Amino acid sequence: MKTFSKIGFIMATLGSSVGLGHIWRFPTMAGLNGGFAFILLFLVISVAVGISMLIAEMLIGNRTRKNAQDAFDALDNTRNKQWHWVGLTLWGGPFILTFYCIVLGWVVYYLGVMSFALPENIQDSKAIFSNLSQNFLAQIISFGIVIFLTAYFVAKGVKNGIEKLNFVLMPLLFVIFIGLLIYAMTMNGFNESLEFMFTPDFSKITPKVLIDSMGQVFFSLSLGVGIVITYAAFTEKEQNLFSAAMWVLVPGILISIIAGLMIFTFVFEYGSKDDVGAGAGLVFITLPVMFHNMGITGSIICALFLIGLGFAGLSSTISLLEPSVKWLEDKTGKNRAVLAWSVSLAIFIVGTVLILSLNESYTSLSIGGKTLFDWFDWISANIIMTLGGLLSSIFVGYAINAHILRDWTKNYFSESMFKFWHFAIRFLAPLMVIAIFIYNIYALLNPAPAT
């Protein structure tokens, strides 16, 4: 069995977490939740709980070196031996890809079509994005490009495909975004961006901000869908998982902060404070207008930004596909390439239906006022990932003897560190996930009135 090098595992796991969640979702959520309040809670929860959950999933894969389902089965010493069913949350990866690749396809479309023909005003930008959502051919082509690249690199395997790609993409991603940040620092809007993100204002800490920050931690670390377990299965037993988790967590936080500072600088420089709360339209509607106001420089910055966003997204799509391919490879013994292309074809077929659901002509593809695209997005974030993460934490915290866990972690956890980690896995992580789940179910059943 080919394994990751120590740095290769870190790069691959970092690549899985540094996706659209860090670069698109983080600034969006920070903008909607008052900047500093959201960022403070995100940092605290990442350090206190996020890294604990990340190490727990790493342990499951590292100690067994099996696919996600068989890993649970191998470590399950309970009487009924039913924990292997939890491993099937790995199929949440292909489920997520059906809509995630569509969003990444929008990035591809904007890179190829919009970078040097940017809209002059918000109205034009909204019209362009709206037209894209109704343009079936354009979305299918860009969606297909993302699916093809994802399948291609997964088919090549862990060592020759995933590791090599992330060795290229992750450094390039940081170079691009650090370069954009340096440019942003020369603008007057940079000070406003710093103030928005880091000036203490505890009055903005609300239950919603707390839940959103917990959800962002969960989303940004790729927990609950077998990615971390699968990647950790390709590591050596002596791998320092605490160090590896820190190398995943800290750069992920840094790229989020960099993306936020850069994006908010452009918004404050060429827009207004109201624009930071533009939600999901911040990247595809608001920023293109800001880039247009910069002239030819803005076109270049827009292209670099979209390339970086594309790199981050592709590393995540690969990680979402790998667990299911690894599982099928172990269960069937068939060729990895055949399996990767087969699963990708199924994702493409389902994704095509989701693209149709975005078209206003296909109202039959909407349920309860939500399109199928919206439902797949909601179910992934609020059911599959939260349930998988909750059960993984409970499994490690309660189904595996504490003495065994201590023995596994003795090379990198002091006694006090182990006690805190074990407490976080047994109590803090489950409470966090349950709170997210209850809040989002309540929000679904009691939608806020339109304004």
Side-chain angles (χ1 to χ4, degrees):
M1 176 178 172
K2 291 184 178 180
T3 61
F4 283 122
S5 63
K6 290 185 178 181
I7 186 64
F9 169 62
I10 292 169
M11 286 289 191
T13 309
L14 178 61
S16 74
S17 67
V18 179
L20 298 182
H22 278 290
I23 298 171
W24 175 26
R25 194 174 188 273
F26 178 86
T28 296
M29 298 306 292
L32 291 171
N33 288 289
F36 168 80
F38 173 84
I39 294 168
L40 174 65
L41 291 173
F42 170 75
L43 293 175
V44 171
I45 296 167
S46 292
V47 173
V49 185
I51 194 169
S52 298
M53 298 179 72
L54 187 61
I55 293 171
E57 292 203 2
M58 285 181 176
L59 270 174
I60 295 172
N62 175 259
R63 302 310 301 187
T64 61
R65 304 187 71 189
K66 297 178 181 292
N67 66 69
Q69 185 184 28
D70 290 346
F72 278 96
D73 190 51
L75 296 177
D76 184 4
N77 291 319
T78 62
R79 182 187 304 176
N80 296 324
K81 296 280 289 185
Q82 296 297 311
W83 280 100
H84 64 98
W85 294 110
V86 177
L88 290 180
T89 54
L90 63 89
W91 285 101
F95 188 93
I96 294 170
L97 285 173
T98 58
F99 72 87
Y100 190 95
C101 288
I102 295 172
V103 176
L104 190 54
W106 298 342
V107 176
V108 172
Y109 175 84
Y110 268 62
L111 178 61
V113 176
M114 294 300 303
S115 294
F116 297 95
L118 295 167
E120 297 182 9
N121 53 62
I122 290 292
Q123 290 71 30
D124 289 347
S125 190
K126 286 181 178 178
I128 290 168
F129 187 69
S130 177
N131 289 337
L132 172 60
S133 69
Q134 306 303 304
N135 189 331
F136 178 76
L137 181 60
Q139 289 195 87
I140 279 293
I141 292 173
S142 56
F143 175 55
I145 291 171
V146 174
I147 290 290
F148 174 85
L149 290 173
T150 302
Y152 174 78
F153 286 107
V154 172
K156 291 177 72 67
V158 165
K159 198 73 176 175
N160 296 323
I162 297 172
E163 180 171 327
K164 286 185 177 180
L165 179 68
N166 279 291
F167 262 115
V168 175
L169 290 192
M170 286 301 100
L172 277 177
L173 175 67
F174 275 88
V175 167
I176 289 172
F177 277 89
I178 289 173
L180 291 176
L181 176 64
I182 292 172
Y183 179 80
M185 291 171 69
T186 66
M187 296 180 168
N188 294 328
F190 183 72
N191 288 331
E192 290 184 75
S193 180
L194 281 173
E195 182 179 348
F196 176 72
M197 292 182 66
F198 298 115
T199 298
D201 185 355
F202 298 100
S203 66
K204 292 183 179 179
I205 296 179
T206 65
K208 180 184 182 301
V209 175
L210 176 61
I211 292 294
D212 284 346
S213 60
M214 290 192 296
Q216 179 62 26
V217 169
F218 199 83
F219 193 92
S220 65
L221 291 176
S222 301
L223 300 169
V225 287
I227 294 172
V228 176
I229 295 172
T230 300
Y231 278 180
F234 291 95
T235 59
E236 298 294 340
K237 287 284 180 68
E238 66 272 13
Q239 180 103 12
N240 184 325
L241 298 184
F242 175 70
S243 175
M246 288 297 293
W247 276 105
V248 171
L249 181 71
V250 174
I253 290 174
L254 285 176
I255 200 69
S256 292
I257 298 297
I258 289 171
L261 283 171
M262 175 188 65
I263 288 172
F264 292 137
T265 296
F266 297 150
V267 170
F268 287 129
E269 184 78 11
Y270 295 102
S272 70
K273 195 165 186 176
D274 294 336
D275 294 321
V276 300
L282 184 65
V283 168
F284 293 110
I285 296 175
T286 305
L287 279 182
V289 179
M290 308 302 169
F291 290 140
H292 174 270
N293 293 333
M294 299 180 194
I296 186 63
T297 302
S299 295
I300 296 171
I301 291 175
C302 180
L304 289 173
F305 174 75
L306 291 172
I307 289 170
L309 193 56
F311 283 173
L314 181 60
S315 64
S316 292
T317 61
I318 290 168
S319 66
L320 285 164
L321 181 60
E322 171 61 25
S324 58
V325 172
K326 169 64 176 169
W327 184 85
L328 287 171
E329 188 179 26
D330 289 349
K331 297 298 183 183
T332 67
K334 294 187 180 299
N335 181 272
R336 162 178 280 266
V338 172
L339 296 172
W341 289 107
S342 298
V343 176
S344 297
L345 177 61
I347 293 168
F348 182 78
I349 292 170
V350 176
T352 299
V353 178
L354 300 191
I355 290 174
L356 285 174
S357 78
L358 294 171
N359 194 297
E360 295 172 356
S361 300
Y362 293 88
T363 55
S364 61
L365 296 177
S366 295
I367 302 172
K370 287 180 177 285
T371 66
L372 288 181
F373 177 92
D374 293 331
W375 275 114
F376 271 55
D377 184 357
W378 190 91
I379 291 170
S380 297
N382 300 300
I383 302 294
I384 296 174
M385 294 184 75
T386 52
L387 181 62
L390 172 63
L391 293 175
S392 294
S393 295
I394 292 174
F395 176 74
V396 173
Y398 292 93
I400 302 177
N401 187 282
H403 295 295
I404 294 175
L405 293 173
R406 182 70 189 107
D407 182 60
W408 289 349
T409 59
K410 63 184 179 183
N411 291 331
Y412 46 85
F413 274 161
S414 66
E415 186 63 32
S416 58
M417 289 174 64
F418 173 79
K419 287 181 178 179
F420 176 80
W421 171 78
H422 199 230
F423 174 79
I425 289 302
R426 287 169 62 88
F427 299 105
L428 298 182
L431 285 174
M432 182 182 84
V433 178
I434 290 170
I436 295 170
F437 181 76
I438 292 174
Y439 178 87
N440 286 316
I441 292 294
Y442 176 83
L444 176 69
L445 299 176
N446 300 274
T451 56

